[in-house]
Amino acid sequence: MPVYKAPVRDMKFVLHEVLQAEHLLAQMPGTQEVNAELINSVLEEAGKVAEHLLAPLNRHGDEQGCQFNGGIVTTPDGFKQAYETFSQGGWIGLAGDPEYGGQGMPKTLAVCFEEMMMAANSSLALYAVLSAGASLAIARHASDELKQAYLPKLYEGTWSATMCLTEAHAGTDLGMIKSRAVPQADGSYLLTGTKIFITGGEHDLTENIIHLVLAKLPDAPAGARGISLFLVPKFLPDANGAPGARNAVSCGSIEHKMGMKGSATCVMNFDGAKSFLVGELNKGLACMFTMMNYERLTIGLQGLGLGDASYQTASSYARDRLQGRAATGAVSPDKPADSLLVHADVRRMLLTMRANTEAARALAAYVGTQLDMVYFHPDEQVRSRAAKLVALLTPIAKAAFTDRGFEACVLGQQVLGGHGYVREWGQEQHVRDARIAQIYEGTNGIQALDLMGRKVVFDREGMLDVLVEDVRAFIASEKDGKVAGFVSVLDEALNVLLQTTTCVRDASAGNPNEVGAASVAYLDLMTLILYGFMWARMVSVATRSLDADANSDIDFYRAKIHVGCFYLDKMMPRYKSVAEEIRAGCDVVMTMDAALF
Amino acid sequence: MPVYKAPVRDMKFVLHEVLQAEHLLAQMPGTQEVNAELINSVLEEAGKVAEHLLAPLNRHGDEQGCQFNGGIVTTPDGFKQAYETFSQGGWIGLAGDPEYGGQGMPKTLAVCFEEMMMAANSSLALYAVLSAGASLAIARHASDELKQAYLPKLYEGTWSATMCLTEAHAGTDLGMIKSRAVPQADGSYLLTGTKIFITGGEHDLTENIIHLVLAKLPDAPAGARGISLFLVPKFLPDANGAPGARNAVSCGSIEHKMGMKGSATCVMNFDGAKSFLVGELNKGLACMFTMMNYERLTIGLQGLGLGDASYQTASSYARDRLQGRAATGAVSPDKPADSLLVHADVRRMLLTMRANTEAARALAAYVGTQLDMVYFHPDEQVRSRAAKLVALLTPIAKAAFTDRGFEACVLGQQVLGGHGYVREWGQEQHVRDARIAQIYEGTNGIQALDLMGRKVVFDREGMLDVLVEDVRAFIASEKDGKVAGFVSVLDEALNVLLQTTTCVRDASAGNPNEVGAASVAYLDLMTLILYGFMWARMVSVATRSLDADANSDIDFYRAKIHVGCFYLDKMMPRYKSVAEEIRAGCDVVMTMDAALF
């Protein structure tokens, strides 16, 4: 019943009209062949894959789920075949290193594709994005030998990959992990330990599974500074590079979860498994962060995509469902009732979902362009500036997209009333699937702490300054234009952000708890302003496009302006009370005795 | 693993110390025997029932769910026996009419018990509260003959009841229902139609099921003014009052839902079923509202109870789970890590849950006392005043308790990280079970519309004035006392509420959409202030108790003050931006063409 339509038109708007991505890509060796035509054809093909290959398996994957039987994990019927088709299309290696068989497409484009995949079928998509993320960590940090042996297989999708961090007693606090790797004479290691919550740790989609595992050498320094990263294949490659001897790694069980039932979440046992060091000894966490930062943005896209999928069903249901009459009198007197769209509160829900989804899509592409600059731009200064923005915006993208994506799924369920609570329309599955995105890849609380702590209060590189520079440049260029009203609110909000930042920075010098107490609200404050920034840019472009040519895509631009104004009037003002909440400080949070909780 | 503890101490605090309920009850014939001792013993017994009879079946009920097979519905193993034990304890008729076998306990007390039931096992509780609610409608509106035949069986729990409103095409808009009742020579009716989303429509817990069904006579006026209420038993009582001939009513299927899996949600087919009119012809909606208003408060308690259950697991997990170090340095240097409770953001989540839960509990009891005054108070003026408060506060209790209860469940899941997403700890079930409470018994959007429309903007009885009078009386009595700071914020917020109310009332004269566009935010605004009112009262009492006797229950009162201050500083300020959102008006919501959604 729910039919997912990939938001290709909106992505073209963001990439071409708002960000002029093709001009940027044309300037950089490595991406200069990615012109507007290629972008569009990839978006359209990607849309077809999401709509016709992934989406049709989404509900079935939820209902059948993964099965565990004696160490073997079976994915839902149809997943294996779809994954093969998908792999053969080259989608797993879309942004992969061309030297090892990747397609070398820019992140700007991969971001769009990942949103579609996640919207269409998060469970199935997750196997693919983990392979892509692990490939990135291998491409950056592994030896040439490991790259040769593993990257082509991962890009072609015949092998897949996992990230193994969490242990039963060590989630956020990875310094406490107990997994041990013992060096062997041949330069390899024997790894022993148990990891939990391992997505895709075992399954039947690919002929081999490559685990990236955090562990410590017996003599490693205590805490996080003693963590190393290892590559542990399920089957050791034989002389021809094909899966050979079975390694000492096995799946102990899978989790019964709220959602994401087509994605196998495994307990993985390593019993002296042959392992290969990736990157330097004791620098494992930094190497893993290459993958984690990639995955964080991608997980943000899961929230964004599911929120959009929920919006699509909710808006189409609201249009067709006849219930009640407009407050101002019947709009369809010939019908037994008016469409739900006549009711202000139904509109409020839909507009809220859409305002957050479209702002997030623009912000995701903005982060994508910055990531491409970091990797491809010839100018060191540009690269360094972009790296700061990426560092600042990654935790925001992960947490804000998933918090607001979950909220959108809840609203999209509410629009359908009781029909949203039953399985039939798929809205309740979106809520269950979206919920994990606020938790995994570092909880959203951890993202907020990363933002407020490392990226703002303790940052010495001026990450926030770079963002402020970009926002101010936009404000300056538009302050006398058609979106002047919008821009003046943005300017005011930016000043409040800066005052609030100073306030927390000063207070935290006296009490380090100020950072933790403010962090989630601070991320929310930044998001309200960043989404305002994105909306101001989009409304500005849409206004100009309407002026320039009243006949082209009028409806698209008009809707853009409507939703932007809704955001400005109804959603953005909340930044003021969020700032007030932050300024209330940490004492009221910290003084209650632990025993009283 | 999760162990529910009924919040008996907190309920005693609310009933005895904050509301002085026993003094009120002593003044009224009908409740004057309900003294403090009786209240306490009912609370303690109720707590045992919730903890030992209902809670142990909660997870199992979710996992096994209800089964449908050829018209027969089987509840999860153990439900039938528990329901019988529960019924035999007299709990279903707790607040029932003593003339027909009810216990005649006041609503003030029933509210507490219902919260506990819902917290312990919402699915099982729902069968009981529907019977209690239907009994209320029957007691108020049915003929003596029907009362004699049905009430004793319903109170003793050998029979159960349902409310049958929704049809596939008619949810919120009941005026469109198609079910038809044709009068018969013997004064009964033959009822034909299909109802959906009928909780407990069919099950194996009781020997008979009594349906209260909305339907129209063939010649009834169009729309909601042509709806009548009918009592339709599954088995017609025989000459001895025992279940006799099977009536023409059957279950067509049950829904597959997000949660509440132990509660059977049925499609019910009435095929010329013998039916009995309840109340007057064409006044069915008003009669059903007796039940609906009862259920609305009770469903609010579902949100409240599940939020508390989630808090209990989350706070105990946070205390025991060692992860990371305090920002100010190790608190437990002898352990591998500090408790989660050292982290400001974990505290923020727990304090947010608790601030909303405890304010809601106080407000629920406050509504309970008003309901008791409506029914039992000898003074007509007192009754009428209380009735206004009940009318005003019922939609708030339903929507606010369930919205914030759901939010609490989501936070309680977040505190556990990945462990909150898997089944093991029960936190994900709370989220799934709580979600429906925002939807059924009138969606929260409908509650908000009822509040802002009928109870405020179009109200001519001065419902809001009564509440304002109560709040102002409290402010006047405390403005120079120890909670003066709290009271001054409350005073300021109350003024903003009144200004905002005037603003919407004026604007709605020109555009009726103003009410719908403001309604959800207005309910939120009222809630922020009402919870502030409850917290100010509780902090005031706690402060006095600490002053009076430093040795009794110090920890309890200290915690109360801490949580109250957290609410005041961190949560209440949001009312300002909610008011600003309301004042932005409806144009930005209504002007976008329906085709653009």
Side-chain angles (χ1 to χ4, degrees):
Chain A
M1 197 171 295
V3 176
Y4 174 67
K5 287 289 293 173
V8 173
R9 174 66 186 93
D10 204 45
M11 288 173 172
K12 289 179 183 171
F13 170 74
V14 169
L15 297 186
H16 303 314
E17 301 172 61
V18 180
L19 298 175
Q20 273 113 19
E22 64 270 30
H23 296 164
L24 170 70
L25 297 171
Q27 294 164 27
M28 305 190 293
T31 62
Q32 59 199 5
E33 283 164 26
V34 185
N35 56 25
E37 200 184 347
L38 179 57
I39 289 176
N40 290 347
S41 91
V42 172
L43 287 179
E44 276 149 25
E45 278 309 305
K48 287 179 198 159
V49 168
E51 292 170 9
H52 304 305
L53 184 68
L54 304 180
L57 288 167
N58 189 45
R59 175 168 164 184
H60 163 71
D62 182 61
E63 289 178 7
Q64 191 181 9
C66 290
Q67 310 298 324
F68 177 81
N69 195 349
I72 294 175
V73 174
T74 313
T75 57
D77 298 337
F79 269 39
K80 185 175 167 60
Q81 198 180 346
Y83 196 81
E84 278 169 12
T85 307
F86 179 84
S87 302
Q88 283 157 12
W91 294 104
I92 292 172
L94 185 69
D97 187 341
E99 200 179 326
Y100 299 95
Q103 306 271 331
M105 287 292 117
K107 185 72 185 175
T108 308
L109 204 48
V111 156
C112 296
F113 176 53
E114 286 170 2
E115 180 201 320
M116 295 177 191
M117 279 199 290
M118 286 295 197
N121 191 329
S122 286
S123 284
L124 188 46
L126 207 53
Y127 297 102
V129 299
L130 278 164
S131 289
S135 301
L136 194 65
I138 294 169
R140 293 287 160 72
H141 303 292
S143 65
D144 283 344
E145 198 184 337
L146 288 175
K147 287 198 241 184
Q148 291 287 2
Y150 293 94
L151 283 181
K153 298 287 195 179
L154 289 170
Y155 288 148
E156 76 184 27
T158 45
W159 296 5
S160 63
T162 75
M163 52 195 298
C164 302
L165 289 75
T166 305
E167 300 179 5
H169 66 291
T172 296
D173 190 351
L174 289 168
M176 296 203 293
I177 58 168
K178 292 180 180 162
S179 293
R180 288 287 171 272
V182 180
Q184 304 299 300
D186 65 357
S188 72
Y189 296 78
L190 292 187
L191 197 151
T192 301
T194 297
K195 297 288 182 176
I196 67 168
F197 297 159
I198 307 310
T199 300
E202 181 58 49
H203 58 73
D204 56 359
L205 301 179
T206 56
E207 59 178 42
N208 202 0
I209 302 174
I210 312 307
H211 306 284
L212 290 184
V213 188
L214 293 183
K216 293 180 160 195
L217 261 59
D219 59 351
R225 280 166 305 183
I227 298 175
S228 302
L229 179 63
F230 298 91
L231 184 156
V232 191
K234 175 179 171 188
F235 294 103
L236 293 155
D238 65 15
N240 303 317
R246 174 77 192 235
N247 205 351
V249 47
S250 62
C251 174
S253 62
I254 62 173
E255 302 290 345
H256 299 281
K257 314 188 299 288
M258 183 183 195
M260 296 295 283
K261 299 197 184 222
S263 159
T265 306
C266 304
V267 173
M268 297 304 297
N269 299 312
F270 298 88
D271 301 301
K274 194 174 177 78
S275 309
F276 308 97
L277 183 68
V278 175
E280 285 178 52
L281 271 179
N282 301 330
K283 298 278 170 67
L285 216 47
C287 300
M288 192 54 115
F289 260 93
T290 300
M291 177 170 183
M292 298 256 286
N293 276 328
Y294 172 95
E295 298 294 349
R296 282 179 174 181
L297 178 54
T298 304
I299 294 310
L301 299 170
Q302 181 182 0
L304 163 53
L306 290 172
D308 186 34
S310 183
Y311 173 83
Q312 293 188 21
T313 300
S315 61
S316 117
Y317 180 90
R319 179 171 300 109
D320 296 343
R321 174 82 171 171
L322 307 180
Q323 205 79 178
R325 289 293 183 191
T328 46
V331 166
S332 311
D334 51 320
K335 295 190 179 155
D338 290 336
S339 147
L340 282 188
L341 283 174
V342 303
H343 302 297
D345 190 56
V346 172
R347 287 171 160 257
R348 175 194 63 83
M349 293 191 275
L350 292 171
L351 287 166
T352 302
M353 297 169 78
R354 189 155 158 183
N356 278 335
T357 296
E358 294 180 9
R361 185 173 292 135
L363 187 58
Y366 179 68
V367 179
T369 58
Q370 302 297 330
L371 274 165
D372 285 328
M373 285 192 252
V374 172
Y375 305 141
F376 295 114
H377 207 284
D379 183 337
E380 154 64 22
Q381 281 201 311
V382 174
R383 286 203 304 274
S384 147
R385 190 178 188 284
K388 291 178 195 174
L389 270 179
V390 167
L392 184 75
L393 296 177
T394 297
I396 300 175
K398 195 279 182 180
F401 295 1
T402 59
D403 280 348
R404 284 156 168 81
F406 177 72
E407 184 197 87
C409 292
V410 170
L411 286 172
Q413 184 181 27
Q414 193 73 19
V415 169
L416 274 74
H419 298 277
Y421 194 68
V422 299
R423 189 188 282 163
E424 190 181 2
W425 285 84
Q427 296 295 73
E428 63 88 29
Q429 184 189 345
H430 291 323
V431 174
R432 290 185 290 105
D433 287 351
R435 183 68 186 92
I436 188 58
Q438 300 170 285
I439 297 172
Y440 61 15
E441 294 300 334
T443 66
N444 286 359
I446 290 297
Q447 305 300 325
L449 211 54
D450 176 45
L451 171 70
M452 171 108 257
R454 268 193 290 173
K455 311 293 174 66
V456 174
V457 169
F458 306 119
D459 164 50
R460 297 288 167 264
E461 296 178 37
M463 295 179 188
L464 182 58
D465 301 339
V466 177
L467 176 68
V468 171
E469 218 173 82
D470 272 16
V471 180
R472 289 227 164 109
F474 173 77
I475 291 173
S477 73
E478 298 273 357
K479 76 177 189 316
D480 302 317
K482 293 214 170 182
V483 294
F486 214 130
V487 156
S488 104
V489 173
L490 184 61
D491 193 30
E492 205 178 293
L494 189 65
N495 290 332
V496 170
L497 172 71
L498 295 176
Q499 287 154 16
T500 308
T501 305
T502 305
C503 168
V504 178
R505 197 179 266 141
D506 293 351
S508 71
N511 187 344
N513 280 318
E514 293 288 352
V515 172
S519 54
V520 164
Y522 187 81
L523 191 145
D524 191 22
L525 178 62
M526 284 274 276
T527 305
L528 284 163
I529 293 164
L530 278 166
Y531 282 20
F533 179 37
M534 293 298 130
W535 271 117
R537 292 177 68 162
M538 291 192 284
V539 169
S540 162
V541 170
T543 307
R544 276 200 301 274
S545 299
L546 271 186
D547 289 351
D549 179 0
N551 293 315
S552 87
D553 248 355
I554 295 182
D555 282 353
F556 179 85
Y557 296 117
R558 279 195 182 151
K560 208 45 102 176
I561 294 166
H562 278 299
V563 180
C565 292
F566 177 85
Y567 181 81
L568 179 70
D569 285 359
K570 290 285 191 183
M571 297 172 68
M572 186 138 166
R574 196 166 58 79
Y575 81 84
K576 293 175 206 169
S577 50
V578 176
E580 186 172 347
E581 179 194 333
I582 294 171
R583 287 194 303 266
C586 77
D587 285 350
V588 82
V589 178
M590 298 310 298
T591 45
M592 189 159 110
D593 281 351
L596 302 186
F597 275 89
Chain B
M1 198 172 292
V3 177
Y4 174 68
K5 288 289 293 173
V8 173
R9 175 66 186 95
D10 204 44
M11 288 173 171
K12 289 180 183 171
F13 171 74
V14 169
L15 296 187
H16 303 313
E17 301 173 60
V18 180
L19 298 176
Q20 273 114 18
E22 64 270 29
H23 297 163
L24 170 71
L25 297 172
Q27 295 164 27
M28 306 189 292
T31 62
Q32 59 200 4
E33 282 165 28
V34 185
N35 55 24
E37 200 184 348
L38 180 56
I39 289 176
N40 289 347
S41 90
V42 172
L43 288 179
E44 276 150 24
E45 277 311 304
K48 286 180 198 159
V49 167
E51 291 170 9
H52 304 306
L53 185 68
L54 303 180
L57 288 167
N58 190 43
R59 176 169 164 183
H60 165 72
D62 181 61
E63 289 178 7
Q64 192 181 9
C66 289
Q67 309 298 324
F68 176 82
N69 194 350
I72 293 174
V73 174
T74 313
T75 57
D77 297 338
F79 269 39
K80 186 176 168 58
Q81 198 181 343
Y83 197 80
E84 278 170 12
T85 307
F86 180 83
S87 302
Q88 283 156 13
W91 295 105
I92 292 171
L94 184 70
D97 188 340
E99 200 180 325
Y100 299 94
Q103 306 272 331
M105 286 292 119
K107 187 71 183 174
T108 308
L109 204 46
V111 156
C112 296
F113 176 53
E114 286 170 1
E115 181 201 319
M116 294 177 190
M117 277 199 289
M118 287 295 197
N121 191 330
S122 287
S123 284
L124 188 46
L126 207 53
Y127 297 102
V129 300
L130 278 164
S131 288
S135 302
L136 194 65
I138 294 170
R140 294 285 160 73
H141 304 292
S143 66
D144 284 343
E145 198 185 337
L146 289 176
K147 286 198 242 184
Q148 290 287 2
Y150 293 94
L151 283 181
K153 298 285 195 182
L154 288 170
Y155 288 147
E156 76 185 26
T158 46
W159 297 5
S160 63
T162 74
M163 52 195 297
C164 301
L165 288 77
T166 304
E167 300 179 5
H169 66 291
T172 295
D173 190 352
L174 289 167
M176 296 203 293
I177 59 167
K178 293 180 180 160
S179 292
R180 288 287 172 273
V182 180
Q184 304 299 300
D186 64 356
S188 72
Y189 296 78
L190 293 187
L191 197 150
T192 301
T194 298
K195 297 286 183 177
I196 66 166
F197 297 159
I198 307 309
T199 300
E202 181 57 50
H203 58 74
D204 56 0
L205 301 179
T206 57
E207 60 179 42
N208 202 359
I209 301 172
I210 313 306
H211 306 284
L212 291 184
V213 187
L214 294 183
K216 294 180 160 195
L217 261 59
D219 59 351
R225 281 166 305 183
I227 298 176
S228 302
L229 179 63
F230 298 91
L231 184 156
V232 191
K234 175 180 171 185
F235 295 104
L236 293 155
D238 66 16
N240 302 318
R246 173 76 192 234
N247 205 352
V249 46
S250 61
C251 175
S253 62
I254 61 173
E255 301 290 345
H256 298 282
K257 314 189 298 291
M258 184 183 195
M260 296 295 283
K261 298 194 185 227
S263 160
T265 306
C266 305
V267 173
M268 296 304 297
N269 298 312
F270 299 88
D271 301 302
K274 194 174 176 78
S275 308
F276 307 97
L277 183 69
V278 175
E280 286 177 54
L281 272 178
N282 301 330
K283 298 278 171 68
L285 215 47
C287 301
M288 192 54 117
F289 260 93
T290 300
M291 177 169 184
M292 298 257 286
N293 276 328
Y294 172 96
E295 299 293 349
R296 282 178 175 182
L297 178 54
T298 304
I299 294 309
L301 299 171
Q302 181 182 0
L304 163 53
L306 289 172
D308 186 35
S310 183
Y311 173 83
Q312 293 188 21
T313 300
S315 61
S316 117
Y317 180 90
R319 180 172 299 109
D320 296 343
R321 174 82 170 171
L322 307 180
Q323 204 80 176
R325 289 294 183 189
T328 45
V331 166
S332 311
D334 52 319
K335 294 187 179 159
D338 290 336
S339 148
L340 281 188
L341 283 174
V342 304
H343 302 298
D345 190 57
V346 172
R347 289 172 158 258
R348 174 193 64 82
M349 293 191 274
L350 292 170
L351 287 166
T352 302
M353 297 169 79
R354 188 154 159 183
N356 277 335
T357 296
E358 294 179 10
R361 185 173 292 136
L363 186 58
Y366 179 69
V367 179
T369 58
Q370 302 297 329
L371 274 165
D372 285 328
M373 285 192 252
V374 173
Y375 304 141
F376 295 115
H377 207 285
D379 182 338
E380 154 63 21
Q381 282 201 309
V382 173
R383 286 203 303 275
S384 147
R385 190 179 189 285
K388 290 178 196 174
L389 270 179
V390 167
L392 184 75
L393 296 178
T394 297
I396 300 175
K398 194 280 183 179
F401 296 0
T402 58
D403 280 347
R404 284 156 168 81
F406 176 72
E407 185 196 88
C409 292
V410 170
L411 285 172
Q413 185 181 27
Q414 193 72 19
V415 169
L416 274 74
H419 298 278
Y421 195 68
V422 299
R423 188 188 284 164
E424 190 181 3
W425 285 85
Q427 296 294 74
E428 64 88 29
Q429 185 189 344
H430 291 321
V431 174
R432 289 185 291 105
D433 287 351
R435 184 67 186 89
I436 188 60
Q438 300 169 285
I439 298 172
Y440 62 13
E441 295 300 334
T443 65
N444 286 359
I446 291 297
Q447 305 299 325
L449 211 54
D450 177 44
L451 170 71
M452 170 108 257
R454 269 193 290 173
K455 311 294 173 67
V456 175
V457 169
F458 307 118
D459 165 49
R460 298 286 168 264
E461 297 178 37
M463 295 179 188
L464 182 59
D465 301 339
V466 178
L467 176 68
V468 171
E469 218 173 80
D470 273 16
V471 180
R472 287 230 166 109
F474 172 77
I475 291 172
S477 72
E478 298 274 357
K479 73 178 190 317
D480 302 316
K482 292 214 169 182
V483 294
F486 214 130
V487 157
S488 105
V489 173
L490 185 61
D491 193 31
E492 203 178 294
L494 189 66
N495 290 333
V496 170
L497 172 71
L498 295 176
Q499 286 155 17
T500 308
T501 305
T502 305
C503 167
V504 178
R505 197 179 267 141
D506 293 350
S508 71
N511 187 344
N513 280 317
E514 293 288 353
V515 172
S519 54
V520 164
Y522 188 82
L523 192 145
D524 191 22
L525 178 62
M526 285 273 276
T527 305
L528 285 163
I529 292 165
L530 279 165
Y531 282 20
F533 179 36
M534 293 298 130
W535 270 116
R537 292 177 68 162
M538 292 192 284
V539 169
S540 162
V541 170
T543 306
R544 277 200 300 273
S545 299
L546 270 187
D547 288 352
D549 180 358
N551 293 316
S552 87
D553 249 355
I554 297 181
D555 281 354
F556 180 85
Y557 296 117
R558 279 195 182 151
K560 209 44 101 178
I561 294 167
H562 278 299
V563 179
C565 292
F566 177 85
Y567 181 81
L568 179 70
D569 286 359
K570 290 286 191 181
M571 297 172 68
M572 185 138 167
R574 196 166 58 80
Y575 80 85
K576 294 175 205 169
S577 50
V578 177
E580 184 172 348
E581 179 193 333
I582 294 171
R583 287 194 303 267
C586 77
D587 285 350
V588 80
V589 179
M590 298 309 299
T591 46
M592 189 159 109
D593 282 351
L596 303 187
F597 277 89

